[in-house]
Amino acid sequence: MSLLIQNGRIVTASDDFVGDVLVEGEVIAAMGPKLAKPAGADVIDASGKFVFPGFIDPHVHIYLPFMGTFAKDTYATASRAALVGGTTTLIEMCCPARGDDPLEAFELWKSKGAESACDYTFHMGISRFDETTEAAIREIAARGVTSLKVFLAYKGAFGIDDGELFQTLKLAKELGLIVTAHCENETLVSELQRRLLSEGKTGPEWHEPSRPPQVEAEGVHHLMTFAEMTGAHVYCVHTSCREALEAVQQAQLRGVQAWVETVIPYLVVDKTYAERPNFEGAKYVMSPPLRDVKHQPVLWNALRSRLVSTVATDHAPFDFHGQKEMGRDDFTKIPNGIPSVEDRINLLYTYGVCRGRIDLPTLVDAASTQAAKLFGLYPRKGTIAVGSDADLVVYDPAYRGKISAQTQQMAVDYSAFEGWDLEGRPTIVTVRGQIQVCDGKFVGNLGSGQFLARPATHF
Ligand code: URP
Ligand code: ZN
Ligand code: ZN
Ligand code: ZN
């Protein structure tokens, strides 16, 4: 099976040229100008289109028991949505509850991936560290999951205490695992929530004031100090504001090995969305919260300068009806999350590249290459190079359309970006040489995605 993609503008994190890509089987066999067509090869004309490496979303939730309910997607719906949006690899947070057995949880999450059309892997959530945890982490790392996730928030649910954080980081350092972290000070969150509720402030517009930038920055500073004391490599997920970025930057100057992720909602929507009347603001409740609009240019600038390494989604889909509504009388009960796995690349392209905020190589770097490098997938994923997996996105910048819940693949009853204009979209998407999207529609096979075992690289 060979596939020749001709005359596309091939864009990686470091290259930008017009040429052809030849796929043989599951991998890229050649690239360059005017490649000869092997007998029997299928040909795709990519004239006037971009050819990107398959995008990697390093922070999604698919199977997620959370806040008294379950996130709506399955791997069938989420991988379809991801692929239509140009994402070919998902890294899901495996989020066991505090009492769960880590190995059983890992196998449960992994079993859900069997119906995926994308390739996939996990960050292993550590919600408890006791005398059994070290052996479990060693075993899970040996099975190819070489990144961990800790929550410094969600008191009483996923959150771990400082002793557990220290033990986790110490072991991660020994094993060369990177530790991803949700950084917010959980005590401040619960005290501020209590104060606001006692003042009768119960609507979704009070979610942001219950977790202001200082609360996030304190969580980041806290993680940085623990990373400094243990030497562990850390990755701050869903970073939303200037104060948190500054806390990372200061730690980096002290020698802490730390990386920053932001997520697409923070780049394009702000806290006024969560202030919308008739409880519509609940659609925009996630943690850390959407911020004042003044943080948006800071995040775009940090992306351009590479202080922010990756743009993920933190895809966490809860219906407006029946799920977000659980918090109608109390914002602390609104399931947190904004679905966006389908929209990330189109939003980054339209509202980033087309508006002059970032260039194309920065888009590729932040949405694919950096995640591959940080999480042990490079150069198999994250670039277009001979020998790399043939995960390719042929992207049409002439497409014009709108985002709508009516037409989306995500299994959720609203879009946070309803009616927004798009100025491009993927037309063809391949995963290891197989065409999964054609003319913007999913045509692939559920279950064809592979679990990606990864080596440890963060020593
Ligand atoms: O609001 C969010 N972010 N929901 C998903 C869980 C998490 O904190 O990542
Ligand atoms: Zn989080
Ligand atoms: Zn602290
Ligand atoms: Zn998350």
Side-chain angles (χ1 to χ4, degrees), residues 419-436:
W420 286 35
D421 290 316
L422 294 181
E423 298 175 15
R425 73 158 182 191
T427 52
I428 305 270
V429 179
T430 67
V431 179
R432 284 175 287 100
Q434 262 192 47
I435 295 178
Q436 298 276 354

PDB file of all heavy atoms in Angstrom, residues 419-436:
ATOM      1  N   GLY A 419     -21.342  28.891  16.354  1.00  0.00           N
ATOM      2  CA  GLY A 419     -21.453  29.973  15.377  1.00  0.00           C
ATOM      3  C   GLY A 419     -20.139  30.629  15.000  1.00  0.00           C
ATOM      4  O   GLY A 419     -20.126  31.524  14.148  1.00  0.00           O
ATOM      5  N   TRP A 420     -19.048  30.213  15.612  1.00  0.00           N
ATOM      6  CA  TRP A 420     -17.760  30.844  15.297  1.00  0.00           C
ATOM      7  C   TRP A 420     -17.324  30.477  13.879  1.00  0.00           C
ATOM      8  O   TRP A 420     -17.473  29.332  13.439  1.00  0.00           O
ATOM      9  CB  TRP A 420     -16.676  30.383  16.277  1.00  0.00           C
ATOM     10  CG  TRP A 420     -16.782  30.984  17.648  1.00  0.00           C
ATOM     11  CD1 TRP A 420     -17.932  31.299  18.336  1.00  0.00           C
ATOM     12  CD2 TRP A 420     -15.705  31.325  18.506  1.00  0.00           C
ATOM     13  NE1 TRP A 420     -17.621  31.804  19.581  1.00  0.00           N
ATOM     14  CE2 TRP A 420     -16.253  31.830  19.707  1.00  0.00           C
ATOM     15  CE3 TRP A 420     -14.306  31.238  18.397  1.00  0.00           C
ATOM     16  CZ2 TRP A 420     -15.466  32.259  20.776  1.00  0.00           C
ATOM     17  CZ3 TRP A 420     -13.526  31.659  19.458  1.00  0.00           C
ATOM     18  CH2 TRP A 420     -14.094  32.170  20.634  1.00  0.00           C
ATOM     19  N   ASP A 421     -16.746  31.466  13.179  1.00  0.00           N
ATOM     20  CA  ASP A 421     -16.245  31.249  11.817  1.00  0.00           C
ATOM     21  C   ASP A 421     -14.936  30.484  11.834  1.00  0.00           C
ATOM     22  O   ASP A 421     -14.081  30.722  12.696  1.00  0.00           O
ATOM     23  CB  ASP A 421     -15.984  32.601  11.138  1.00  0.00           C
ATOM     24  CG  ASP A 421     -17.294  33.309  10.829  1.00  0.00           C
ATOM     25  OD1 ASP A 421     -18.226  32.641  10.341  1.00  0.00           O
ATOM     26  OD2 ASP A 421     -17.377  34.524  11.098  1.00  0.00           O
ATOM     27  N   LEU A 422     -14.792  29.598  10.866  1.00  0.00           N
ATOM     28  CA  LEU A 422     -13.512  28.914  10.642  1.00  0.00           C
ATOM     29  C   LEU A 422     -12.993  29.264   9.261  1.00  0.00           C
ATOM     30  O   LEU A 422     -13.760  29.363   8.297  1.00  0.00           O
ATOM     31  CB  LEU A 422     -13.678  27.396  10.769  1.00  0.00           C
ATOM     32  CG  LEU A 422     -14.036  26.890  12.166  1.00  0.00           C
ATOM     33  CD1 LEU A 422     -14.143  25.370  12.166  1.00  0.00           C
ATOM     34  CD2 LEU A 422     -13.007  27.349  13.213  1.00  0.00           C
ATOM     35  N   GLU A 423     -11.672  29.416   9.184  1.00  0.00           N
ATOM     36  CA  GLU A 423     -11.042  29.788   7.911  1.00  0.00           C
ATOM     37  C   GLU A 423     -10.100  28.684   7.437  1.00  0.00           C
ATOM     38  O   GLU A 423      -9.068  28.962   6.824  1.00  0.00           O
ATOM     39  CB  GLU A 423     -10.329  31.131   8.074  1.00  0.00           C
ATOM     40  CG  GLU A 423     -11.315  32.239   8.420  1.00  0.00           C
ATOM     41  CD  GLU A 423     -10.673  33.593   8.707  1.00  0.00           C
ATOM     42  OE1 GLU A 423      -9.478  33.781   8.374  1.00  0.00           O
ATOM     43  OE2 GLU A 423     -11.378  34.451   9.269  1.00  0.00           O
ATOM     44  N   GLY A 424     -10.433  27.472   7.738  1.00  0.00           N
ATOM     45  CA  GLY A 424      -9.629  26.334   7.290  1.00  0.00           C
ATOM     46  C   GLY A 424     -10.109  25.096   8.007  1.00  0.00           C
ATOM     47  O   GLY A 424     -10.809  25.193   9.033  1.00  0.00           O
ATOM     48  N   ARG A 425      -9.787  23.929   7.433  1.00  0.00           N
ATOM     49  CA  ARG A 425     -10.092  22.675   8.138  1.00  0.00           C
ATOM     50  C   ARG A 425      -9.297  21.548   7.480  1.00  0.00           C
ATOM     51  O   ARG A 425      -8.879  21.656   6.313  1.00  0.00           O
ATOM     52  CB  ARG A 425     -11.579  22.347   8.089  1.00  0.00           C
ATOM     53  CG  ARG A 425     -12.031  21.887   6.726  1.00  0.00           C
ATOM     54  CD  ARG A 425     -13.324  21.068   6.770  1.00  0.00           C
ATOM     55  NE  ARG A 425     -13.650  20.633   5.414  1.00  0.00           N
ATOM     56  CZ  ARG A 425     -14.791  20.082   5.057  1.00  0.00           C
ATOM     57  NH1 ARG A 425     -15.735  19.887   5.954  1.00  0.00           N
ATOM     58  NH2 ARG A 425     -14.998  19.709   3.815  1.00  0.00           N
ATOM     59  N   PRO A 426      -9.111  20.429   8.192  1.00  0.00           N
ATOM     60  CA  PRO A 426      -8.467  19.275   7.585  1.00  0.00           C
ATOM     61  C   PRO A 426      -9.397  18.674   6.529  1.00  0.00           C
ATOM     62  O   PRO A 426     -10.601  18.539   6.777  1.00  0.00           O
ATOM     63  CB  PRO A 426      -8.289  18.296   8.753  1.00  0.00           C
ATOM     64  CG  PRO A 426      -8.462  19.118   9.995  1.00  0.00           C
ATOM     65  CD  PRO A 426      -9.411  20.222   9.617  1.00  0.00           C
ATOM     66  N   THR A 427      -8.826  18.338   5.364  1.00  0.00           N
ATOM     67  CA  THR A 427      -9.642  17.609   4.386  1.00  0.00           C
ATOM     68  C   THR A 427      -9.298  16.122   4.423  1.00  0.00           C
ATOM     69  O   THR A 427     -10.182  15.280   4.428  1.00  0.00           O
ATOM     70  CB  THR A 427      -9.452  18.133   2.951  1.00  0.00           C
ATOM     71  OG1 THR A 427      -8.071  18.158   2.665  1.00  0.00           O
ATOM     72  CG2 THR A 427     -10.031  19.508   2.793  1.00  0.00           C
ATOM     73  N   ILE A 428      -7.992  15.813   4.437  1.00  0.00           N
ATOM     74  CA  ILE A 428      -7.553  14.413   4.519  1.00  0.00           C
ATOM     75  C   ILE A 428      -6.734  14.249   5.806  1.00  0.00           C
ATOM     76  O   ILE A 428      -5.874  15.078   6.097  1.00  0.00           O
ATOM     77  CB  ILE A 428      -6.620  14.047   3.339  1.00  0.00           C
ATOM     78  CG1 ILE A 428      -7.272  14.354   1.990  1.00  0.00           C
ATOM     79  CG2 ILE A 428      -6.124  12.600   3.450  1.00  0.00           C
ATOM     80  CD1 ILE A 428      -8.066  13.242   1.397  1.00  0.00           C
ATOM     81  N   VAL A 429      -7.006  13.178   6.533  1.00  0.00           N
ATOM     82  CA  VAL A 429      -6.199  12.863   7.720  1.00  0.00           C
ATOM     83  C   VAL A 429      -5.848  11.378   7.667  1.00  0.00           C
ATOM     84  O   VAL A 429      -6.740  10.535   7.488  1.00  0.00           O
ATOM     85  CB  VAL A 429      -6.970  13.182   9.028  1.00  0.00           C
ATOM     86  CG1 VAL A 429      -6.121  12.827  10.248  1.00  0.00           C
ATOM     87  CG2 VAL A 429      -7.381  14.649   9.073  1.00  0.00           C
ATOM     88  N   THR A 430      -4.568  11.087   7.830  1.00  0.00           N
ATOM     89  CA  THR A 430      -4.151   9.682   7.873  1.00  0.00           C
ATOM     90  C   THR A 430      -3.548   9.353   9.242  1.00  0.00           C
ATOM     91  O   THR A 430      -2.949  10.209   9.899  1.00  0.00           O
ATOM     92  CB  THR A 430      -3.084   9.352   6.807  1.00  0.00           C
ATOM     93  OG1 THR A 430      -1.857  10.042   7.114  1.00  0.00           O
ATOM     94  CG2 THR A 430      -3.537   9.743   5.409  1.00  0.00           C
ATOM     95  N   VAL A 431      -3.752   8.120   9.653  1.00  0.00           N
ATOM     96  CA  VAL A 431      -3.069   7.586  10.842  1.00  0.00           C
ATOM     97  C   VAL A 431      -2.285   6.357  10.397  1.00  0.00           C
ATOM     98  O   VAL A 431      -2.874   5.405   9.872  1.00  0.00           O
ATOM     99  CB  VAL A 431      -4.063   7.194  11.952  1.00  0.00           C
ATOM    100  CG1 VAL A 431      -3.309   6.611  13.165  1.00  0.00           C
ATOM    101  CG2 VAL A 431      -4.896   8.392  12.382  1.00  0.00           C
ATOM    102  N   ARG A 432      -0.990   6.405  10.546  1.00  0.00           N
ATOM    103  CA  ARG A 432      -0.106   5.331  10.057  1.00  0.00           C
ATOM    104  C   ARG A 432      -0.505   4.882   8.655  1.00  0.00           C
ATOM    105  O   ARG A 432      -0.659   3.713   8.380  1.00  0.00           O
ATOM    106  CB  ARG A 432      -0.085   4.172  11.069  1.00  0.00           C
ATOM    107  CG  ARG A 432       0.773   4.498  12.317  1.00  0.00           C
ATOM    108  CD  ARG A 432       0.722   3.428  13.381  1.00  0.00           C
ATOM    109  NE  ARG A 432      -0.547   3.433  14.068  1.00  0.00           N
ATOM    110  CZ  ARG A 432      -1.555   2.594  13.820  1.00  0.00           C
ATOM    111  NH1 ARG A 432      -1.427   1.644  12.932  1.00  0.00           N
ATOM    112  NH2 ARG A 432      -2.684   2.702  14.484  1.00  0.00           N
ATOM    113  N   GLY A 433      -0.686   5.873   7.779  1.00  0.00           N
ATOM    114  CA  GLY A 433      -0.919   5.595   6.365  1.00  0.00           C
ATOM    115  C   GLY A 433      -2.351   5.303   5.983  1.00  0.00           C
ATOM    116  O   GLY A 433      -2.685   5.302   4.802  1.00  0.00           O
ATOM    117  N   GLN A 434      -3.210   5.063   6.972  1.00  0.00           N
ATOM    118  CA  GLN A 434      -4.623   4.781   6.670  1.00  0.00           C
ATOM    119  C   GLN A 434      -5.424   6.075   6.624  1.00  0.00           C
ATOM    120  O   GLN A 434      -5.358   6.864   7.570  1.00  0.00           O
ATOM    121  CB  GLN A 434      -5.230   3.945   7.804  1.00  0.00           C
ATOM    122  CG  GLN A 434      -5.287   2.477   7.525  1.00  0.00           C
ATOM    123  CD  GLN A 434      -6.175   1.807   8.587  1.00  0.00           C
ATOM    124  OE1 GLN A 434      -7.273   2.264   8.904  1.00  0.00           O
ATOM    125  NE2 GLN A 434      -5.663   0.727   9.128  1.00  0.00           N
ATOM    126  N   ILE A 435      -6.209   6.255   5.569  1.00  0.00           N
ATOM    127  CA  ILE A 435      -7.031   7.463   5.481  1.00  0.00           C
ATOM    128  C   ILE A 435      -8.216   7.334   6.447  1.00  0.00           C
ATOM    129  O   ILE A 435      -9.026   6.425   6.330  1.00  0.00           O
ATOM    130  CB  ILE A 435      -7.512   7.693   4.036  1.00  0.00           C
ATOM    131  CG1 ILE A 435      -6.291   7.988   3.143  1.00  0.00           C
ATOM    132  CG2 ILE A 435      -8.518   8.837   3.975  1.00  0.00           C
ATOM    133  CD1 ILE A 435      -6.597   8.191   1.690  1.00  0.00           C
ATOM    134  N   GLN A 436      -8.249   8.243   7.398  1.00  0.00           N
ATOM    135  CA  GLN A 436      -9.314   8.212   8.415  1.00  0.00           C
ATOM    136  C   GLN A 436     -10.341   9.316   8.187  1.00  0.00           C
ATOM    137  O   GLN A 436     -11.477   9.216   8.643  1.00  0.00           O
ATOM    138  CB  GLN A 436      -8.716   8.358   9.824  1.00  0.00           C
ATOM    139  CG  GLN A 436      -7.763   7.250  10.209  1.00  0.00           C
ATOM    140  CD  GLN A 436      -8.491   6.025  10.746  1.00  0.00           C
ATOM    141  OE1 GLN A 436      -9.694   6.013  10.939  1.00  0.00           O
ATOM    142  NE2 GLN A 436      -7.745   4.950  10.986  1.00  0.00           N
TER     143      GLN A 436
END
